[in-house]
Amino acid sequence: PVPARASGRNRLGVQSGALIRGPAAIIVPPPIGSTRSFHVLSSWSTTNPTWKTVTASLAFAGDNLLLYMDQAAPANGFTATQLQNFGQLFDQTLYPIDTLNFGSPSDVDQNGRVIMLMSPVVNADTPASVCTTQGYVAGFFDEGDFNNSTDPNSNQGEIFYSIVPDPNGTVSCAHSVADVGDAVPSVFMHEMQHLINFAQHVILNPGTPESGWLDEGLSIVAEELGSLYYEQKCPPPACRTDPSQIFPDSSQGFVQGFLYGSYQYALLPDTASLTLHTDDESGFSWRGGDWALLRYLGDQEGPGFYRKLEQGSSDGLTDLVNAVGQPFPSFFADFGLALYTDSLPGLARTTAPAVDRFTSRNMRQLWARLFTTSGGTTDIPLAFPIIVFPVTTDTSAALMDPGTMTYFRLDTPAADSTVTIRFSAPGGQPLSPTLHPQLSLFRLPQGQ
């Protein structure tokens, strides 16, 4: 089963004016082995959420992270050495990747660090009957932890909550130490972006949370950045069980969110809106599409682009327009073309202008590899998922949601110097201008 990502739950009374996180070295952490209590969300009910109070011991104290282990954690979990190595990974590798690309979190508890709490309460949030068939919540952050002291369930600090190893399945489905080591790092990257995004928009610059679809897309970018770290450390064919792997073994826990999701988006791009979802909604395709859009724009705009979005107006469309400096229809059109025109078969990659290409990823290559490794399952049926429909004398398009696209191909006779294409609503009526329809054209050489 695949670990699911759960975003924080918001509660009223969020405080403002919190401190910006400063250098951790000047703040002495609590001693290793010291304990404190936490309130951990134990029910995801939107009408009646509940929390459990747990006691946890400080197991690791780094420059950026304090790792607490719930004293009620099941037996046969991490050894002391494994736990130190685990904490070191988050403190010295994963946390810096997130903050370099997205900015600093707040510091409402003034400890100079983010807290990571590993608790079996998180394991129990997903019943065994669900996690064995549908996936499970491997970690989350709770926006209510930024609330003031009048909220009895607020821990008043920047906290990431994680499952613990439970090899015997005493709490919910079984999770070995290796399972936790594979799943939790990418979830930490994902949730840290949510935490930073919320802190930047609501705490440090008092306003409203970012649009959910953009916030979620950025969190999947955060997962991918974890993979890019290991890809750069291990260029092919190094660090691969199978030399034909695109990604090294160390990347495997970071790639599924963007790889599978973007494939699902490309398979049905006319039904998965990129701009009409919130991050508490389920669905792979729109998430994968939002990652692809942000990856494309990050390639086009270069370093610092994602930081700009963290500090925007909290309206996703406005933030993108301001960060890119172009109208949304313009760069959305180029993105739509790039999904198809990047790496056209049989042609040099430079056949498409730079604005119609990715630079950090070859999407055709990624999707083809996913198809090969999956064996052509019903949800991954094609080596290249984008379906291009032929245009004849009378071709109808399916209904399209706002923020979607569809693809057509028109082959013209060599002797024709001009071609006329007429667009209309059903019955030949003019398209309503309120729909803001737009057309992007990419012309291929004859015979291609």
Side-chain angles (χ1 to χ4, degrees):
V2 177
R5 275 71 173 172
S7 299
R9 302 290 172 168
N10 192 15
R11 301 199 294 277
L12 298 178
V14 173
Q15 64 184 7
S16 61
L19 299 178
I20 297 176
R21 189 167 299 277
I26 64 173
I27 303 176
V28 178
I32 298 297
S34 60
T35 63
R36 63 167 285 186
S37 62
F38 294 89
H39 305 285
V40 184
L41 192 63
S42 59
S43 167
W44 294 95
S45 169
T46 56
T47 57
N48 187 32
T50 59
W51 288 260
K52 287 186 177 180
T53 301
V54 306
T55 300
S57 302
L58 182 62
F60 172 87
D63 295 335
N64 305 299
L65 183 99
L66 300 176
L67 194 162
Y68 282 86
M69 179 64 72
D70 191 330
Q71 292 183 338
N76 302 315
F78 286 112
T79 66
T81 300
Q82 287 174 327
L83 196 56
Q84 290 302 302
N85 292 337
F86 203 53
Q88 191 78 8
L89 169 66
F90 289 85
D91 183 68
Q92 295 300 309
T93 299
L94 304 184
Y95 177 95
I97 293 173
D98 262 323
T99 53
L100 174 65
N101 286 278
F102 302 108
S104 298
S106 54
D107 193 14
V108 299
D109 51 10
Q110 301 182 40
N111 66 359
R113 297 162 176 85
V114 164
I115 291 172
M116 177 174 175
L117 172 62
M118 305 189 73
S119 172
V121 175
V122 182
N123 298 54
D125 281 339
T126 309
S129 60
V130 175
C131 66
T132 55
T133 58
Q134 301 177 35
Y136 57 96
V137 174
F140 61 90
F141 98 98
D142 186 350
E143 294 169 2
D145 284 333
F146 293 98
N147 287 1
N148 56 37
S149 58
T150 60
D151 183 343
N153 294 306
S154 173
N155 292 304
Q156 299 176 57
E158 293 76 11
I159 303 175
F160 166 68
Y161 301 85
S162 160
I163 59 172
V164 296
D166 185 12
N168 298 319
T170 60
V171 180
S172 181
C173 55
H175 297 293
S176 67
V177 169
D179 292 338
V180 173
D182 288 340
V184 172
S186 66
V187 180
F188 174 83
M189 299 289 287
H190 184 111
E191 296 300 322
M192 268 299 299
Q193 189 289 134
H194 281 317
L195 192 157
I196 292 169
N197 197 301
F198 185 84
Q200 289 287 339
H201 283 96
V202 180
I203 305 301
L204 301 176
N205 302 289
T208 58
E210 177 61 272
S211 298
W213 60 269
L214 181 56
D215 189 15
E216 186 66 9
L218 285 166
S219 278
I220 299 176
V221 168
E223 294 179 42
E224 185 208 8
L225 292 173
S227 177
L228 284 169
Y229 169 80
Y230 290 107
E231 291 171 59
Q232 291 162 3
K233 286 188 65 175
C234 288
C239 309
R240 288 155 171 81
T241 303
D242 179 350
S244 65
Q245 289 176 210
I246 293 177
F247 300 103
D249 292 353
S250 49
S251 281
Q252 297 304 312
F254 297 90
V255 301
Q256 187 218 347
F258 71 85
L259 183 56
Y260 179 82
S262 64
Y263 183 99
Q264 293 303 308
Y265 173 73
L267 193 62
L268 294 170
D270 57 347
T271 62
S273 173
L274 301 191
T275 59
L276 296 180
H277 292 277
T278 60
D279 57 358
D280 59 351
E281 295 179 45
S282 58
F284 291 105
S285 55
W286 69 265
R287 284 179 163 83
D290 280 321
W291 166 78
L293 174 63
L294 292 171
R295 166 46 53 210
Y296 164 79
L297 292 176
D299 287 354
Q300 294 291 320
E301 299 299 314
F305 173 69
Y306 300 125
R307 272 179 171 260
K308 291 181 182 179
L309 298 177
E310 300 287 335
Q311 299 166 6
S313 66
S314 297
D315 177 81
L317 290 176
T318 301
D319 291 343
L320 284 178
V321 168
N322 290 340
V324 176
Q326 297 178 28
F328 183 83
S330 177
F331 60 76
F332 188 67
D334 287 324
F335 160 67
L337 284 177
L339 288 174
Y340 185 81
T341 58
D342 186 7
S343 302
L344 288 161
L347 297 173
R349 199 171 188 187
T350 52
T351 299
V355 74
D356 294 327
R357 299 196 305 267
F358 289 74
T359 58
S360 62
R361 297 294 183 194
N362 183 322
M363 302 304 294
R364 285 180 183 265
Q365 179 191 45
L366 294 182
W367 291 333
R369 179 65 179 173
L370 178 64
F371 172 76
T372 298
T373 57
S374 69
T377 58
T378 55
D379 56 339
I380 309 175
L382 303 167
F384 183 63
I386 294 178
I387 299 172
V388 180
F389 300 95
V391 174
T392 62
T393 55
D394 187 7
T395 299
S396 298
L399 293 176
M400 297 173 60
D401 291 330
T404 65
M405 62 191 72
T406 192
Y407 295 83
F408 297 91
R409 175 171 178 140
L410 175 63
D411 291 303
T412 60
D416 290 354
S417 58
T418 62
V419 174
T420 300
I421 306 174
R422 180 175 179 267
F423 294 88
S424 67
Q429 298 300 313
L431 289 171
S432 170
T434 61
L435 297 176
H436 303 291
Q438 67 182 75
L439 175 69
S440 301
L441 294 175
F442 186 85
R443 187 172 183 180
L444 286 169
Q446 193 70 29
Q448 299 293 335

